């Protein structure tokens, strides 16, 4: 059972030496941190490593957290920088993910595609599949906006971008996500959404 | 088309000014194509809002907390030692020494030396500390000062070393 205390109260208790309070904080945010890490790393094993690293880093520098800001914005910025460092270490140039290559990957995944199965599969399956095919930045912005309860300004703080840049990127990310969904579902997308 | 979509997304997100909002609301009402696009984006927005978060492994929290516990256990004694304790003890001894010296100096009859032979012998009363200053106390104090001196010497050497590497 998760604690009913606010993030700030749990942080204060943690700073006072209570490790169970931090465990509650981890339980509360682990799903989102893991998902966000997964958007960048594209692999569950790597996402687990990054997410774990994020919570340890957050614990170490908890005393430097400014309680005026939202804890989640601070935590997600740690996820972003940790993921970027992780990708750099793995020598994955995220910007060089070529659209054409991604499309080939998408098409090859669709080779075993059975139109009759479409109805049996849930909507979230196709949506998650489409998000997984987006560039890491696009996928992260979509996730932060829709599931992170973050405003454009807060997303800007998390990703180190101007609010207007985030607005433009969000618009483009939505367009790309829509295109991916349409490609994945071909004609079925109209029925699905 | 992009411009229309951009306007509509801003309208859906509530990121446009009041006049723009009124303008778009009017367009949705009057223009059939605009309304269809709006409905399409609205349903997409609902779809995106329903994205499911991925579940980390069952032992995720346990693993994080184990890592933190292990880190705490590995912490060297020097880092775990609170410097405020050192400062507190040092201050206590420094204050004690100053108070004792002050008391002794105030107890001395300074005119005794220059007053002539009739004032000899000079008598000043020292507090009887012999019952407090026992051998174990003196040894304890000496041990503490030795440790403190070593600690300060170590800090000095480390700083010197850091400064040398920084050059």
């Amino acid at each position: 059972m998760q604690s009913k205390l606010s993030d700030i109260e749990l942080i204060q208790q943690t700073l006072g030496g209570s490790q169970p309070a931090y465990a509650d904080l981890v339980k509360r945010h682990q799903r989102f941190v893991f998902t966000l890490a997964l958007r960048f790393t594209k692999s569950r094993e790597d996402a687990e490593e990054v997410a774990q690293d994020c919570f340890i880093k957050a614990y170490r520098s908890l005393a430097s957290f400014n309680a005026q800001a939202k804890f989640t914005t601070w935590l997600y910025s740690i996820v972003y920088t940790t993921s970027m460092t992780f990708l750099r270490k793995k020598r994955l140039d995220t910007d060089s993910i070529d659209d054409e290559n991604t499309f080939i990957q998408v098409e090859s995944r669709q080779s075993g595609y059975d139109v009759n199965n479409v109805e049996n599969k849930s909507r979230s399956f196709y949506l998650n599949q489409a998000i997984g095919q987006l560039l890491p930045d696009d996928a992260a912005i979509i996730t932060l906006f829709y599931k992170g309860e973050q405003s454009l300004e807060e997303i800007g703080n998390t990703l180190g971008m101007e609010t207007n840049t985030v607005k433009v990127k969000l618009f483009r990310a939505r367009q790309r996500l829509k295109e991916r969904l349409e490609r994945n579902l071909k004609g079925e997308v109209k029925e699905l959404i | 088309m992009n411009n229309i979509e951009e306007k509509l997304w801003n309208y859906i997100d509530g990121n446009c000014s009041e006049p723009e909002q009124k303008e778009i609301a009017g367009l949705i009402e009057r223009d059939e194509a605009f309304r269809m696009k709006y409905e399409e984006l609205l349903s997409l927005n609902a779809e995106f809002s329903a994205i499911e978060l991925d579940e980390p492994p069952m032992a995720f929290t346990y693993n994080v907390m184990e890592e933190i516990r292990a880190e705490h256990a590995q912490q060297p004694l020097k880092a775990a030692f609170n410097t405020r304790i050192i400062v507190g003890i040092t201050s206590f001894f420094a204050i004690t020494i100053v108070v004792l010296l002050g008391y002794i100096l105030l107890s001395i009859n300074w005119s005794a030396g220059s007053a002539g032979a009739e004032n000899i012998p000079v008598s000043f009363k020292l507090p009887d500390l012999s019952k407090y200053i026992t051998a174990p106390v003196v040894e304890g104090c000496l041990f503490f000062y030795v440790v403190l001196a070593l600690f300060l010497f170590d800090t000095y050497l480390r700083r010197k070393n850091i400064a040398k590497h920084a050059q």
Side-chain angles (χ1 to χ4, degrees):
Chain A
M1 201 179 125
Q2 283 194 22
S3 167
K4 283 176 184 171
L5 296 173
S6 71
D7 284 353
I8 301 293
E9 285 167 326
L10 287 174
I11 289 167
Q12 281 165 350
Q13 285 189 9
T14 307
L15 290 173
S18 164
Q19 284 191 2
Y22 193 67
D24 280 340
L25 213 55
V26 174
K27 269 181 215 153
R28 186 175 292 176
H29 298 289
Q30 62 180 10
R31 277 188 79 194
F32 193 86
V33 168
F34 178 74
T35 305
L36 198 55
L38 191 59
R39 299 285 183 251
F40 289 107
T41 59
K42 311 279 182 194
S43 130
R44 282 188 70 87
E45 288 78 23
D46 291 344
E48 190 186 343
E49 193 184 324
V50 168
Q52 200 169 313
D53 201 16
C54 289
F55 280 113
I56 292 163
K57 278 184 185 170
Y59 181 82
R60 282 191 206 131
S61 45
L62 206 57
S64 69
F65 166 65
N66 172 19
Q68 304 295 317
K70 255 163 94 175
F71 172 68
T72 46
T73 308
W74 182 73
L75 182 64
Y76 302 161
S77 67
I78 294 177
V79 180
Y80 179 68
T81 47
T82 309
S83 303
M84 288 296 119
T85 311
F86 181 85
L87 291 177
R88 233 172 276 137
K89 268 187 195 164
K90 282 198 97 180
R91 298 181 180 207
L92 283 176
D93 187 1
T94 53
D95 293 333
S96 73
I97 298 171
D98 183 273
D99 266 7
E100 217 171 298
N101 288 339
T102 317
F103 183 59
I104 290 164
Q105 191 191 355
V106 171
E107 288 206 321
S108 64
R109 278 187 194 186
Q110 285 176 339
S111 56
Y113 175 80
D114 177 5
V115 178
N116 295 327
N117 282 341
V118 172
E119 283 174 10
N120 299 333
K121 288 185 177 174
S122 69
R123 292 176 174 208
S124 61
F125 169 81
Y126 289 105
L127 199 55
N128 276 329
Q129 187 189 47
I131 289 175
Q133 290 157 357
L134 289 177
L135 291 172
D137 266 5
D138 287 346
I141 286 177
I142 292 269
T143 310
L144 282 166
F145 187 78
Y146 283 104
K147 301 310 286 182
E149 292 166 359
Q150 301 270 295
S151 67
L152 294 179
E153 200 185 341
E154 284 164 344
I155 295 173
N157 289 337
T158 301
L159 305 180
M161 293 172 190
E162 292 290 321
T163 309
N164 270 335
T165 313
V166 175
K167 199 171 164 183
V168 173
K169 276 184 169 274
L170 176 66
F171 172 66
R172 287 182 188 156
R174 278 159 162 168
Q175 276 190 319
R176 286 186 194 124
L177 183 56
K178 190 181 135 199
E179 283 166 20
R180 294 275 177 235
L181 259 174
E182 282 170 354
R183 275 184 201 172
N184 289 4
L185 294 166
K186 293 188 177 171
E188 300 293 327
V189 75
K190 294 252 186 233
E191 267 179 48
L192 200 67
I193 53 177
Chain B
M1 183 57 94
N2 266 3
N3 195 25
I4 294 171
E5 273 196 27
E6 208 168 347
K7 275 184 181 177
L8 282 170
W9 275 123
N10 284 341
Y11 179 75
I12 291 166
D13 295 341
N15 286 330
C16 49
S17 62
E18 215 168 299
E20 276 176 330
Q21 219 168 345
K22 277 182 186 166
E23 187 201 329
I24 294 165
L27 277 167
I28 291 168
E29 228 171 86
R30 291 189 304 273
D31 192 326
E32 178 68 22
F34 214 89
R35 187 169 60 246
M36 279 178 73
K37 193 78 205 164
Y38 171 68
E39 277 164 12
E40 184 198 332
L41 296 187
L42 208 59
S43 75
L44 258 182
N45 195 51
E47 195 77 24
F48 294 163
S49 302
I51 296 169
E52 280 176 17
L53 292 177
D54 286 86
E55 201 72 55
M58 292 273 279
F60 184 83
T61 310
Y62 176 80
N63 291 340
V64 171
M65 296 317 292
E66 271 303 295
E67 194 87 20
I68 288 170
R69 266 178 228 124
E71 213 170 275
H72 267 274
Q74 284 168 5
Q75 202 175 33
L77 186 65
K78 188 179 176 296
F81 205 77
N82 193 342
T83 48
R84 275 183 290 182
I85 296 172
I86 297 241
V87 172
I89 295 170
T90 313
S91 311
F92 170 75
F93 280 102
I95 290 165
T96 312
I97 291 166
V98 169
V99 167
L100 274 174
L101 276 173
Y103 183 77
I104 292 166
L105 290 173
L106 286 172
S107 309
I108 295 172
N109 183 4
W110 294 103
S111 59
S114 58
E118 67 270 17
N119 287 335
I120 297 171
V122 178
S123 70
F124 55 89
K125 198 179 166 190
L126 275 174
D128 184 22
L129 297 172
S130 58
K131 56 182 172 185
Y132 301 112
I133 306 172
T134 55
V137 172
V138 172
E139 279 167 12
C141 284
L142 275 173
F143 180 73
F144 173 77
Y145 286 125
V146 167
V147 170
L148 192 65
L150 286 172
F151 175 77
L152 292 172
F153 187 60
D154 178 59
T155 312
Y156 166 74
L157 287 179
R158 276 170 198 271
R159 278 187 190 164
K160 207 175 160 188
N161 201 24
I162 289 166
K164 199 177 166 185
H165 282 286
Q167 281 171 359

